């Protein structure tokens, strides 16, 4: 168990809908990263937050947004969903001063 | 540019065989970190090991061993006496500081199938 909790584990929704994925980092970790893993794309970095502030942005679509709350949990919002958004979405947290990233179990999103 | 290459897309071995997963990286930084992660069929990403760029000492953990060679920019992973439970996708990753934060670059993964 990495200590990073992601909910829900599975999500099935229709095209055009909006969903929110939630991540609770390991206790004390201030950094949260979001990744998308599609079948043909590998692990793609979406966005990183550190103590509530956005620190780095990757290949995140404009339809997607994220935030990190004062209690350090993070949410990834995906809107106007398309079939191609079906993927495994991972959250990772990193301890301050350490380079290791610990991943949650992922949320498997299926858009039908 | 930073890059991680895992040239082996899929490897199949018979149980108890040894298997080596290759990882080659590219970076201009002198300080960086290398990782291996395991993704079993259940989907989670499990952290296996981290190596620092300034520490080329190889590491062994049970049946797992890692060979880090800066001269060839490689960080290979060997599983000795493979078991069916080792079947998974294995990812190699590179981490560097970029604009004050750590950035991670993943390889495309190697799917290992261990046959009984």
């Amino acid at each position: 168990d990495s200590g990073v909790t992601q909910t829900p584990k599975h999500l099935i929704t229709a095209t055009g809908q909006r969903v929110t994925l939630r991540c609770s980092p390991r206790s004390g970790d201030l950094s949260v990263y979001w990744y998308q893993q599609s079948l043909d794309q590998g692990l793609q970095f979406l966005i990183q937050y550190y103590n509530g502030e956005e620190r780095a942005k990757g290949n995140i679509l404009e339809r997607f947004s994220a935030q990190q709350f004062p209690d350090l949990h993070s949410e990834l919002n995906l809107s106007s969903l398309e079939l191609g958004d079906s993927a495994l979405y991972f959250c990772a947290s990193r301890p301050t001063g350490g380079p290791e990233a610990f991943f949650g179990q992922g949320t498997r999103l299926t858009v039908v | 540019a930073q890059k991680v290459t895992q040239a082996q897309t899929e490897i199949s071995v018979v149980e108890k065989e040894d298997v080596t997963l290759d990882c080659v990286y590219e970076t201009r930084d002198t300080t960086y970190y290398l990782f291996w992660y395991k993704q079993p069929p259940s989907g989670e990403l499990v952290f296996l090991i981290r190596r620092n760029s300034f520490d080329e000492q190889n590491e062994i953990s049970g049946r797992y061993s890692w060979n880090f060679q800066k001269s060839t920019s490689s960080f290979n992973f060997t599983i000795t006496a493979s078991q069916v439970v080792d079947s998974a996708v294995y990812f190699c990753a590179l981490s560097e500081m970029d604009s004050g934060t750590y950035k991670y670059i993943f390889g495309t993964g190697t799917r290992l199938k261990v046959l009984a």
Side-chain angles (χ1 to χ4, degrees), chain B:
Chain B
Q2 306 93 337
K3 188 178 177 182
V4 175
T5 300
Q6 294 181 257
Q8 303 151 309
T9 305
E10 185 168 313
I11 302 175
S12 291
V13 298
V14 176
E15 209 170 15
K16 296 184 185 175
E17 284 186 4
D18 298 347
V19 58
T20 295
L21 310 182
D22 297 333
C23 173
V24 174
Y25 62 92
E26 294 177 29
T27 178
R28 292 180 194 164
D29 282 9
T30 55
T31 300
Y32 53 90
Y33 303 89
L34 296 164
F35 305 87
W36 277 96
Y37 288 86
K38 174 182 180 180
Q39 187 175 37
S42 50
E44 71 269 28
L45 274 168
V46 179
F47 167 81
L48 294 179
I49 190 172
R50 175 197 90 183
R51 292 315 277 171
N52 307 333
S53 56
F54 44 85
D55 180 4
E56 282 193 75
Q57 188 172 0
N58 292 326
E59 186 156 339
I60 297 174
S61 176
R63 297 184 295 107
Y64 294 173
S65 62
W66 292 269
N67 183 0
F68 175 29
Q69 290 195 336
K70 287 177 77 169
S71 60
T72 56
S73 297
S74 65
F75 185 42
N76 296 337
F77 175 26
T78 297
I79 301 175
T80 302
S82 60
Q83 299 176 1
V84 172
V85 293
D86 296 326
S87 296
V89 180
Y90 291 87
F91 290 93
C92 180
L94 165 71
S95 178
E96 305 169 328
M97 271 293 217
D98 183 356
S99 303
T101 191
Y102 285 101
K103 175 183 172 182
Y104 300 89
I105 301 101
F106 283 83
T108 50
T110 296
R111 182 178 299 277
L112 174 65
K113 292 184 178 178
V114 181
L115 308 171

Side-chain angles (χ1 to χ4, degrees), chain A residues 26 56 83:
Chain A
R26 298 185 331 150
L83 295 177

